[in-house]
Amino acid sequence: MKWIQMNSNEFKLRERVKELNCLYKLSRVAWEAKNDFDAIVSKTLEILPTALQHPDAAEASISIDSRDYSTRGFDKTTTVIAAELRFDKKKFGTIQIGYRSSRSNKEKMEFLPEESRLLKAVAQELSLVIHRASIEEDKYKLQAQLQHAERLAFVGELSAGIAHELNEPLGRVLGFAQLIKKAGSLNEQQEQDLERIIKASLYSREIIKKLMIFSRQMPQQITKVNLNAIVHNILYFIDVRFQSRGITIVKQLEPNLPEMMADEVQMSQVLVNLITNAVYAMPGGGSIYVITKSTTANVKLIVKDTGIGMTAEVKDRIFEPFFTTKEVGQGTGLGLSVVQGIVDSHNGQIIVNTSPGKGTKFEIQLPLKQEKKKRSS
């Protein structure tokens, strides 16, 4: 009887040593993984079964939000116990351990009361570790956003400097060209060339205005504008540039489109950025549809392409500053973030529909009337 009691005590001691060893290894994982979420979970799944009474038949599983992780044979377990992952009384996951059924062992393997307590202790420790990893991940994202903001501020300052440097010589080119035209005594070819110089200068001046708006050197100027007129003016300059790429721009403009209150230069910038984005999405050519529509309260600008489309992951990030899928040197990743900023400042909204291989559709809805905005600092 004494020998049986000693044997039982030895068994309990051996099991407690395994459990303590498990907790020690898990504490080291939290330290060594350095808040690497996947590493913490995978190591926990590897260590936990070794603490059980029948480690060779044990499997483990961890579910966190919508993500599931488990050892290879967990789906074959027949006896399972579980503990909740919680922080601040809020459940965010579950940790489970189970035993696989065995033909050689007909008896149902049960868990010891100490193993249930161990699982709860592991769940409590893992909850703290995951919460700490989540805080570090949020901290990293905030740091990345701050870096983006700093880079955006630098680009704004650089844009303002470039705009001011170009404005004066460009004004001279435009002024002298207009004086020569007024002087007369030009042949037909000279007249046409001079008209091209004037149009190019005016177009360049609009680009400089956009740079100054982007760098917040020019205030927003809300006036009555006709979106159809903006579309005609922009396509006049850019339509020819893309014909050599096998790209056709199709206008589908609503007749008698009502005027709306907006900044004309900014609306031009929105259209240019959306068309440029569509062009890059069609390396093999295709069609870009520029559509205008209206309702009793809104005017809609739609730019639709027949390009490569976007995955859900890319779509979720397209309005992030400096995010781009273009090759190095092909784009800054600022175009769509600028578009979103302009649309937001006009109290509008952007709806994006896209899928891989089926093109992309940007629908911008803008109110016909604008409330007077407070001056932002």
Side-chain angles (χ1 to χ4, degrees):
M1 187 72 177
K2 189 176 181 181
W3 180 85
I4 294 174
Q5 186 176 0
M6 284 180 62
N7 194 37
S8 176
N9 289 336
E10 286 180 8
F11 169 77
K12 289 180 179 179
L13 180 61
R14 188 168 63 248
E15 291 302 310
R16 296 303 78 73
V17 169
K18 285 165 61 178
E19 292 166 8
L20 289 171
N21 190 40
C22 169
L23 291 172
Y24 170 72
K25 287 181 179 179
L26 289 175
S27 66
R28 285 190 59 84
V29 166
W31 175 261
E32 294 171 355
K34 296 181 179 179
N35 300 308
D36 184 334
F37 178 83
D38 290 330
I40 292 169
V41 172
S42 62
K43 284 291 184 182
T44 301
L45 291 175
E46 181 183 327
I47 294 168
L48 190 54
T50 63
L52 302 182
Q53 184 181 358
H54 307 288
D56 294 337
E59 304 288 348
S61 172
I62 297 174
S63 299
I64 299 172
D65 297 328
S66 59
R67 294 172 290 182
D68 295 320
Y69 309 84
S70 62
T71 53
R72 186 176 297 179
F74 185 77
D75 58 336
K76 297 177 182 177
T77 55
T78 55
T79 307
V80 177
I81 57 173
E84 293 180 347
L85 299 175
R86 288 181 170 272
F87 192 84
D88 285 343
K89 298 182 180 180
K90 182 180 178 181
K91 178 184 175 183
F92 62 88
T94 306
I95 181 169
Q96 301 177 83
I97 50 176
Y99 284 129
R100 300 186 307 274
S101 59
S102 173
R103 292 183 181 178
S104 59
N105 188 358
K106 301 288 184 180
E107 295 181 6
K108 187 177 181 180
M109 289 181 281
E110 300 287 349
F111 288 96
L112 299 171
E114 292 81 3
E115 290 174 334
S116 295
R117 289 195 288 269
L118 172 67
L119 186 62
K120 289 180 181 179
V122 170
Q124 186 176 3
E125 180 67 22
L126 189 60
S127 296
L128 293 172
V129 170
I130 291 172
H131 180 69
R132 187 163 58 243
S134 177
I135 290 175
E136 288 298 318
E137 186 178 353
D138 290 343
K139 179 181 174 183
Y140 174 79
K141 288 179 179 178
L142 287 172
Q143 287 174 340
Q145 289 174 2
L146 179 60
Q147 289 171 357
H148 278 154
E150 290 173 347
R151 289 169 65 188
L152 193 58
F154 171 73
V155 171
E157 292 175 7
L158 186 63
S159 300
I162 293 171
H164 284 298
E165 290 293 327
L166 290 176
N167 214 20
E168 186 178 346
L170 184 62
R172 290 177 183 176
V173 171
L174 182 59
F176 282 121
Q178 289 171 335
L179 286 172
I180 294 170
K181 186 177 180 181
K182 285 181 180 179
S185 67
L186 300 171
N187 61 40
E188 186 179 349
Q189 183 61 51
Q190 289 171 333
E191 285 273 4
Q192 290 176 358
D193 291 342
L194 199 59
E195 187 62 29
R196 289 192 182 97
I197 291 172
I198 292 171
K199 285 183 178 179
S201 298
L202 290 170
Y203 179 59
S204 300
R205 191 167 66 178
E206 290 302 309
I207 293 174
I208 288 173
K209 283 183 182 179
K210 293 171 188 176
L211 280 172
M212 295 179 77
I213 289 168
F214 173 69
S215 60
R216 300 193 179 185
Q217 298 296 311
M218 286 185 66
Q220 190 180 60
Q221 297 177 350
I222 301 295
T223 58
K224 279 188 177 182
V225 298
N226 186 290
L227 198 55
N228 284 352
I230 292 173
V231 171
H232 284 301
N233 291 337
I234 294 300
L235 295 187
Y236 173 82
F237 287 110
I238 67 176
D239 198 4
V240 179
R241 291 170 53 193
F242 302 129
Q243 287 179 359
S244 60
R245 301 189 187 187
I247 293 172
T248 304
I249 299 180
V250 181
K251 291 184 289 187
Q252 296 178 354
L253 309 183
E254 180 181 304
N256 304 317
L257 191 74
E259 290 185 329
M260 64 177 183
M261 299 301 294
D263 185 300
E264 184 175 357
V265 176
Q266 289 187 341
M267 288 297 104
S268 300
Q269 187 176 8
V270 166
L271 182 57
V272 169
N273 283 342
L274 291 180
I275 291 176
T276 303
N277 214 57
V279 168
Y280 278 105
M282 298 188 295
S287 298
I288 300 173
Y289 296 86
V290 180
I291 305 164
T292 58
K293 295 180 178 180
S294 67
T295 65
T296 54
N298 295 318
V299 172
K300 297 179 182 180
L301 172 65
I302 300 167
V303 176
K304 183 172 63 173
D305 66 62
T306 57
I308 57 176
M310 293 180 278
T311 62
E313 291 77 14
V314 171
K315 179 186 172 185
D316 288 341
R317 299 190 61 193
I318 56 174
F319 296 113
E320 292 181 14
F322 300 103
F323 174 76
T324 179
T325 58
K326 302 184 184 95
E327 295 179 3
V328 176
Q330 296 296 313
T332 61
L334 287 170
L336 290 177
S337 63
V338 170
V339 167
Q340 186 181 46
I342 292 172
V343 173
D344 287 346
S345 71
H346 282 77
N347 299 315
Q349 63 173 327
I350 306 175
I351 301 170
V352 184
N353 290 310
T354 184
S355 59
K358 295 185 178 180
T360 301
K361 175 184 173 184
F362 284 89
E363 180 177 318
I364 295 177
Q365 299 180 1
L366 299 162
L368 286 169
K369 297 181 180 179
Q370 291 289 335
E371 295 180 3
K372 190 174 181 181
K373 289 181 174 293
K374 296 180 180 179
R375 186 171 63 88
S376 58
S377 57

